[in-house]
Each structure stands twice: as C-alpha cells, then as structure tokens.
Amino acid sequence: MLKQLVNDFSSLIYPNLCIGCGRGLVTGENYICYHCLVGMPRTYFHLVKGNPLEQIFWGRVPIEKATSWFFYRKGSDYQHFLHHLKYKGLREIGVEMGRNFGAELVATNYFGDVDLMVPVPLHPKKEKQRGYNQSVAIAEGLSQHLNVPIDNGVLIRQHYSETQTKKGRFERWENVSDLFGLTHDEYFAGKHVLLVDDVVTTGSTLEACARKILECNGAKVSVVTLGFASI
C-alpha cells in the first residue's frame, strides 16, 4: 500500500510520460519508453576488450574491466534521464536504468567474477542535500540481475569538494586525489570490486576510488557507469 501511495504521488509530479522524449508510457514501461530504450546509443563496451573506457585508465590505475551503457551527449534525450536522477529528485529512474542495463550485462556474464558492488560515495553533506546517492540507486537496479551484493559504507568521501562539471582533466584530478578513505583497513582484500557511477568523463573520480580500494592486499577493481562522455 505504501509503495502504491508513493507511486501515485510520483505520477502527480512526473505523469506517465517518458522522461526522455515525452511520449506516453504503456503498461510495463517505467520512466523510459520502449522507443528510447531501443534507440539508446549503446556503447557495447562490454563486448570489446581494451574498449575506450578501459583505455581512459591505462597508465593511471589497473582496472580489470570497464563498460558504460550509452554515449552521453549534452542536449540529447538521454541527458534528461540523468538530469532528473541527479537534480530533480527522481531516484527511481536510476534504479530502472540500472535494472535495464543489468539485464543486458547478465546475458554476457561480463561481471560474473565480481564479489561486490561499491557505488561511488557522496559526501554526507551532498547526500543530505540531494536526499540520496544516485550511484546507489543505479547499483540497486544492476543488482537485481547481476545478483551481486552492494557495499555502501566502507569506501567514504572524506572531504566536501567542488563540482567537477567545468573542470579539465588535471583540475578534476586535483579536486579528488585525496577525497576518499576506508572505514575498515583491508576490507576489500582479495575481493573483486565493481565501482558504480552515473557518468564517466575523465575518469578522475573513479581512478581515485580505485586507488583507495587497491590499497587492500589482492583487491581488484572493475568499473560500470550508465553514461560515457567524451571530452
């Protein structure tokens, strides 16, 4: 009953229209219509060894595997999905998109050897302002198909940082290089960790997270994001 009340309230704010194109949704569609789902500019990086996302980290930090769902371009319908997720309070679109991407990934067993998922953490101040961590929502959707547990408490953001939006590669790295910490030393020892984020541009935030995790003996890191934005 509570879930239905929440859904009814959400429908008043976000009617049964696709967040991307504005078309009416039909039974079985949630936030994203079939037309947008089929037309999504997918990267298919998980089918390509040494793909462009993996190349971002070459010479910077050892990443086992990396993939993104779609190419992220400003002004496209698909930008609307992530904009609503991050800035409009529509947490459930993150779960829904993660669920759809997870269904495609599980068919390839690309992350079949992953032990747990770790969403890129927000600083508590930012998470309180937003009301949630969008990367956790994405991870929850992915987990429905990948059947991998989520750990959202050990990797933490220690300092409140400025927005990354208008920074270049070096500025982004300076902004995040000492941001993350672990609440338990060696917690990720011997584990293959899948880092989850919404969009990757320069990879600086994910690199900083991976470096902290890889301080644990025998840890391995892979990366998954919804969007891949080239700079």
Side-chain angles (χ1 to χ4, degrees), residues 2 20 46 53 65 86 96 109 126 131-132 141 175 207 221:
L2 178 59
H46 51 286
L53 178 53
K65 303 173 184 176
K86 293 183 71 171
E96 181 66 14
N109 199 37
K126 175 64 72 64
Y132 55 87
N175 201 38
E207 177 186 352
V221 173

Side-chain angles (χ1 to χ4, degrees), residues 37-49 51-54 66-73 101 104-105 110 198 200 223-230:
L37 194 60
V38 170
M40 181 175 288
R42 287 168 171 77
T43 70
Y44 295 110
F45 285 164
H46 51 286
L47 302 181
V48 181
K49 187 175 178 60
N51 63 62
L53 178 53
E54 292 177 353
T67 191
S68 299
W69 195 18
F70 61 89
F71 290 102
Y72 176 86
R73 298 183 178 92
F101 191 22
E104 297 181 17
L105 289 172
Y110 186 66
D198 52 356
V200 58
V223 167
V224 62
T225 73
L226 292 181
F228 176 81
S230 58

Side-chain angles (χ1 to χ4, degrees), residues 63 88 112 132 209:
I63 297 295
K88 297 293 185 179
Y132 55 87
C209 289

